[in-house]
Structure formats: structure tokens, C-alpha cells
């Protein structure tokens, strides 16, 4: 009886410990991101006070520049500016955009859903492509394995800007099937999603295919074949579950790669989102907006990594007691 009561308590303790580690890791990642952005943006040539007043072309007077520096604390020592920013971020105050003169949190709330939709759809498509190529490589013999391996290497090495340009030339300019820019419709999502998904699918496909071959040689697969399991059943019920574990561990990295790739893809396809917002903010030295975008992206990455860990624990029961 006492042993039965101890087991749930042990599971709860492990779950709370896992959650505490995740929260501590998230806080550290956000602090490191805010620190890196704070010092990196100040290495960019130019005066933040000029950016607040409209850029170098505004021809602001020295008095106006001095007033802005005093208002935003830019005349303080760098360490005091850094501590002040950490204090604002700790109170969930992302500040006001220098260039757009609007609340950063409200602006990010508008731009974030589009980028998250693009990244989630791209990750889902990347997994479908990876599983499809792994299925073909496993069931198609040596030729299929060699061809799929070559395609995965090529896909993982293709730059986003080149792939986006080729897709626009083929499917928009030549065939006229899809719009070359974002139109706010499902058709306008196809090319951006494919552009982001293919390189990630190449990485996931390589990892999944190698794991499939290892799993196919394992004793449990040999036992399933001896029981008369079909090739499709062996793949779906046995091999894929084991082969997906390394890919699930990489899903957090893949999502981070998709967020970084969104900077290029959203610019090429004129799609609103965090990527285009970040590009414009860096160009204009908009420190609060750059910091806000970086922190939201880092937080999204941390959440996806945690979800990937949960999925891995669900697929592999050994991870629940590790």
C-alpha cells in the first residue's frame, strides 16, 4: 500500500523538477538574449537619439538630441542603461518603438500570429516530407535510399533567398499558379511555407532515415517480422516510433531555424510578421523593438523545445523516469 502511494508522489516530484528546470532555463535564455541584444545594438554605428528623432536625415539640432538623450536615459553610463532596461523587462515593459512611436508589446501582438502560423505550418510540412522520404528510403531499396539521401543533402544546403526566388520564377512568373507575394489568403502562404520547410525537411529526413535503418536491424523489428508483420505495419507501428525520437529532439532547433529564416522569407514575399519587423528595426536602430522581437522569438523557441521534450517523453516511456 505504501509503495503504491510512493509512486505517484515520485512522478509528481519528477514533473515538478522538470518544470522548475524549464522555467529556470527560460529565464536564463531571456536574460542572455536581452543582454546580447543590448550590447550588440550599441556596436552598430550611429546615434540612438537620431533614430528616435527620425534618423540622420532629420537634421535634429544639438539641443533636441540632448533632450532626447536625457528623456530616454541615453546620457547615462552604459551599465546604468543596461540595469534600467533589465528592470523594465522584469516588469514586462517592452517600451515604445523609436521609429513607429507605438507600444512594442501591442505591435508584437499584431505581428506574432502571422510568423507563428508560418513557422508551425512549415514545421508540419517539414515533418511530412521527412517521414515520406524515410518511408520511401526504407521500403524502396538501395536506389531509393541513395536518391533520398542526395535529395536531403541538397535540400538542407539550399539558401532561403535562392529557393524563394526559384519558386517565384517557376510557380508565379512561369506557371501563374500561386501569387508571388503574400495576399492574406491560403494561396499566399504556400510558397513561403515551402521555402521554409524544405531545408528543415532535409535535416529531419537525414536523422529520421538513419534512425529507421538502425531500428530496422533491432531485435524488436526482427521479432515483428517473425510474427508476420507487414512492411507497412512494421514501419507505422514499430520503426517510426523509435526513429522519430532524434527528430523530436531536433524540433526545437528546427523551430528556431524557421524563426530566423522568416526574416528572409517574409521580406522576399512581402509578408507581415516578426521577420520584416526585426529587419526594419535593426536598420533604424530601434532598440526597444529589436529587443522585443528577440525576446518573443527566444520565448517561442523555449516553449517549442519544452513541447518537443514532452512529445519525446510521450513517445518513449523510458524518458518519463529518466
Amino acid at each position: 500500500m505504501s509503495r503504491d502511494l510512493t509512486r505517484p508522489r515520485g512522478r509528481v516530484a519528477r514533473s515538478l523538477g522538470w518544470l522548475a528546470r524549464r522555467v529556470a532555463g527560460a529565464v536564463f535564455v531571456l536574460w542572455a538574449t536581452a543582454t546580447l541584444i543590448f550590447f550588440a545594438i550599441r556596436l552598430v554605428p550611429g546615434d540612438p537619439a537620431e533614430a528616435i528623432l527620425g534618423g540622420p536625415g532629420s537634421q535634429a539640432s544639438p539641443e533636441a538630441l540632448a533632450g532626447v538623450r536625457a528623456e530616454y536615459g541615453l546620457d547615462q553610463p552604459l551599465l546604468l542603461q543596461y540595469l534600467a532596461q533589465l528592470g523594465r523587462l522584469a516588469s514586462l515593459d517592452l517600451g515604445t518603438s523609436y521609429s513607429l512611436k507605438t507600444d512594442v508589446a501591442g505591435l508584437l501582438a499584431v505581428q506574432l500570429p502571422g510568423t507563428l502560423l508560418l513557422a508551425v505550418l512549415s514545421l508540419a510540412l517539414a515533418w511530412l516530407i521527412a517521414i515520406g522520404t524515410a518511408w520511401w528510403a526504407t521500403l524502396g531499396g538501395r536506389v531509393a535510399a541513395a536518391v533520398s539521401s542526395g535529395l536531403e543533402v541538397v535540400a538542407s544546403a539550399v539558401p532561403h533567398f535562392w529557393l524563394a526566388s526559384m519558386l517565384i520564377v517557376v510557380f508565379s512568373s512561369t506557371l501563374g499558379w500561386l501569387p508571388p507575394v503574400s495576399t492574406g489568403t491560403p494561396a499566399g502562404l504556400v510558397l513561403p511555407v515551402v521555402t521554409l520547410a524544405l531545408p528543415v525537411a532535409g535535416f529531419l529526413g537525414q536523422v529520421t532515415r538513419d534512425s529507421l535503418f538502425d531500428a530496422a536491424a533491432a531485435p524488436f523489428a526482427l521479432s515483428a517480422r517473425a510474427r508476420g508483420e507487414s512492411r507497412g505495419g512494421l514501419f507505422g507501428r514499430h520503426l517510426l516510433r523509435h526513429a522519430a525520437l532524434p527528430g523530436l529532439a531536433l524540433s526545437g532547433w528546427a523551430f528556431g531555424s524557421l524563426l530566423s529564416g522568416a526574416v528572409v522569407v517574409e521580406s522576399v514575399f512581402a509578408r507581415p510578421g516578426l521577420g520584416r519587423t526585426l529587419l526594419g528595426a535593426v536598420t533604424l536602430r530601434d532598440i526597444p523593438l529589436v529587443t522585443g522581437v528577440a525576446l518573443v522569438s527566444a520565448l517561442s523557441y523555449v516553449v517549442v523545445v519544452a513541447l518537443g521534450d514532452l512529445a519525446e517523453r510521450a513517445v518513449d516511456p523510458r524518458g518519463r523516469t529518466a
Side-chain angles (χ1 to χ4, degrees):
M1 181 69 177
S2 60
R3 183 178 300 176
D4 295 337
L5 292 176
T6 304
R7 289 177 180 175
R9 292 175 182 174
R11 287 195 294 267
V12 171
R14 286 193 297 270
S15 299
L16 291 177
W18 177 87
L19 181 61
R21 290 192 298 272
R22 286 298 180 182
V23 172
V27 172
F28 174 78
V29 169
L30 294 177
W31 167 79
T33 302
T35 301
L36 179 63
I37 292 298
F38 177 85
F39 290 104
I41 199 68
R42 280 159 176 78
L43 295 177
V44 178
D47 187 353
E50 287 187 346
I52 297 173
L53 292 174
S58 63
Q59 298 181 347
S61 65
E63 292 77 10
L65 291 173
V68 167
R69 293 191 186 99
E71 179 181 355
Y72 286 88
L74 298 175
D75 56 346
Q76 300 292 323
L78 192 60
L79 179 59
L80 292 182
Q81 294 183 43
Y82 170 68
L83 294 177
Q85 175 164 304
L86 287 185
R88 289 191 298 269
L89 294 177
S91 63
L92 303 181
D93 180 12
L94 297 179
T96 302
S97 169
Y98 293 166
S99 57
L100 301 176
K101 311 302 181 186
T102 186
D103 182 60
V104 171
L107 181 61
L108 295 181
V110 174
Q111 302 295 337
L112 178 61
T115 300
L116 287 182
L117 176 64
L118 182 63
V120 170
L121 291 178
S122 300
L123 184 59
L125 179 60
W127 263 111
L128 289 176
I129 296 173
I131 292 175
T133 56
W135 169 285
W136 182 45
T138 304
L139 303 182
R142 294 183 178 179
V143 175
V147 173
S148 65
S149 177
L151 292 176
E152 289 161 358
V153 171
V154 172
S156 61
V158 172
H160 287 120
F161 68 89
W162 184 88
L163 180 58
S165 301
M166 292 299 100
L167 291 177
I168 290 174
V169 169
V170 174
F171 293 100
S172 297
S173 302
T174 304
L175 299 176
W177 291 352
L178 297 167
V181 297
S182 178
T183 58
T185 62
L189 265 173
V190 174
L191 293 184
V193 167
V194 172
T195 301
L196 279 176
L198 284 180
V200 172
F203 285 106
L204 294 179
Q206 293 177 62
V207 173
T208 304
R209 176 174 47 80
D210 293 342
S211 299
L212 273 174
F213 289 150
D214 291 340
F220 72 88
L222 299 177
S223 300
R225 292 194 191 97
R227 293 194 302 268
E229 184 71 85
S230 65
R231 297 178 72 182
L234 178 66
F235 179 88
R237 284 190 287 269
H238 301 281
L239 299 183
L240 184 59
R241 180 176 181 178
H242 292 77
L245 290 175
L248 288 174
L250 282 175
S251 291
W253 163 85
F255 191 81
S257 176
L258 293 172
L259 289 179
S260 62
V263 176
V264 176
V265 172
E266 289 177 352
S267 299
V268 172
F269 292 101
R271 177 177 174 79
L274 290 183
R276 290 185 69 192
T277 301
L278 177 61
L279 183 61
V282 171
T283 304
L284 298 173
R285 289 180 58 87
D286 194 333
I287 298 173
L289 188 53
V290 171
T291 304
V293 172
L295 289 177
V296 169
S297 300
L299 182 60
S300 301
Y301 171 78
V302 169
V303 171
V304 171
V305 169
L307 292 177
D309 192 7
L310 288 175
E312 188 176 354
R313 290 156 66 94
V315 172
D316 185 5
R318 294 171 299 178
R320 301 171 193 168
T321 56

